[in-house]
């Protein structure tokens, strides 16, 4: 990284209105300092089911380029039926033949009722893709509904502190290139 501005691409694993994961991602986006451009990716629902028999459609190429261009990627996901939400897993399948995630500083929050299975599964996928996702950039937030107010704020100081620590850690990884 040799530029002053840092760009982070935020990806929510949920397409739902009033999604807890998207709410947490929105909170995360506001925790970084001014020299960070935090852009939330909006096109997940437009990515077609993976099939590389023909050239990737423009929406997929654009998704991959967004990851390549970013200095880091920050995921916030729920768990559905004991797994990673299908739309996100499908989008990541398209990146397998690219080097988009190769050594990419990456953070993950899993915000769900329990979430441990999706958390572990996405970490496996991201590791397979070559992402740089050290322990300090991984956070599991179970019982997520009890941690958020109706206005979309974090209720307890401890959860907020953990998220802030994670953001700080991601910035360190970006600037040093080390995990
Ligand atoms: C279709 C569906 C399946 C779910 N399955 C699980 C599950 O297997 N494990 C879990 O911890 N939570 C599960 N949940 C609860 C969600 O993780 C939790 O409600 C979360 O806040 C929803 O995320 P979202 O609002 O970001 O979409 C499920 C929710 C939905 C809607």
């Amino acid at each position: 990284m040799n530029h002053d501005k840092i760009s982070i691409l935020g990806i929510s694993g949920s397409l739902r209105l009033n999604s807890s994961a998207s709410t947490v991602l929105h909170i995360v986006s506001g925790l970084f300092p001014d020299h960070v451009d935090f852009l939330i990716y909006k096109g997940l629902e437009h990515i077609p089911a993976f099939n590389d028999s023909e050239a990737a459609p423009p929406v997929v190429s654009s998704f991959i380029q967004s990851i390549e261009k970013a200095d880091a990627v920050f995921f916030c996901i729920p768990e559905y039926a004991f797994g990673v939400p299908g739309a996100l897993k499908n989008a990541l399948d398209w990146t397998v033949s690219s080097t988009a995630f190769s050594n990419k500083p990456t953070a993950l929050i899993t915000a769900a009722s329990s979430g441990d299975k999706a958390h572990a599964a996405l970490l496996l996928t991201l590791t397979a893709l070559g992402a740089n996702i050290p322990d300090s950039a991984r956070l599991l937030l179970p019982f997520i509904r009890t941690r958020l107010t109706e206005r979309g704020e974090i209720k307890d100081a401890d959860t907020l502190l953990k998220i802030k620590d994670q953001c700080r850690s991601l910035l360190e990884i970006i600037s040093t290139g080390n995990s």
Side-chain angles (χ1 to χ4, degrees):
M1 203 198 67
N2 54 7
H3 45 100
D4 294 337
K5 271 273 186 190
I6 288 174
S7 65
I8 300 179
L9 183 70
I11 301 178
S12 170
S14 176
L15 305 178
R16 299 174 63 235
L17 207 63
N18 302 321
S19 148
S20 308
S22 300
T23 299
V24 174
L25 189 65
H26 179 72
I27 292 166
V28 164
S29 73
L31 294 177
F32 284 95
D34 286 348
H35 68 285
V36 174
D37 278 337
F38 197 105
L39 180 77
I40 295 182
Y41 180 71
K42 296 287 186 194
L44 206 57
E45 66 265 51
H46 302 301
I47 295 192
F50 174 75
N51 178 355
D52 64 356
S53 306
E54 293 186 17
V59 67
V60 169
S61 308
S62 153
F63 174 61
I64 293 173
Q65 278 164 19
S66 303
I67 298 162
E68 286 170 344
K69 271 197 308 199
D71 294 310
V73 179
F74 203 122
F75 288 95
C76 194
I77 67 159
E79 175 173 289
Y80 294 156
F82 286 2
V84 176
L88 176 61
K89 178 61 169 63
N90 174 61
L92 293 178
D93 289 346
W94 280 105
T95 72
V96 169
S97 59
S98 77
T99 54
F101 277 102
S102 180
N103 209 31
K104 181 73 68 184
T106 302
L108 168 63
I109 292 177
T110 302
S113 305
S114 162
D116 52 314
K117 295 169 192 69
H119 195 64
L122 186 54
L123 286 172
L124 262 183
T125 298
L126 291 170
T127 303
L129 293 172
N132 179 3
I133 180 162
D135 286 350
S136 56
R138 310 169 178 196
L139 182 61
L140 175 62
L141 295 178
F143 312 112
I144 188 60
R145 298 252 176 225
T146 67
R147 296 178 195 259
L148 294 172
T149 66
E150 283 190 1
R151 291 171 56 202
E153 295 151 339
I154 298 283
K155 272 185 195 165
D156 63 300
D158 184 53
T159 301
L160 189 58
L161 194 66
K162 282 182 181 156
I163 297 174
K164 283 181 176 171
D165 282 349
Q166 190 189 15
C167 294
R168 203 171 303 120
S169 169
L170 184 63
L171 284 182
E172 259 174 48
I173 299 157
I174 295 168
S175 59
T176 63
N178 295 324
S179 55

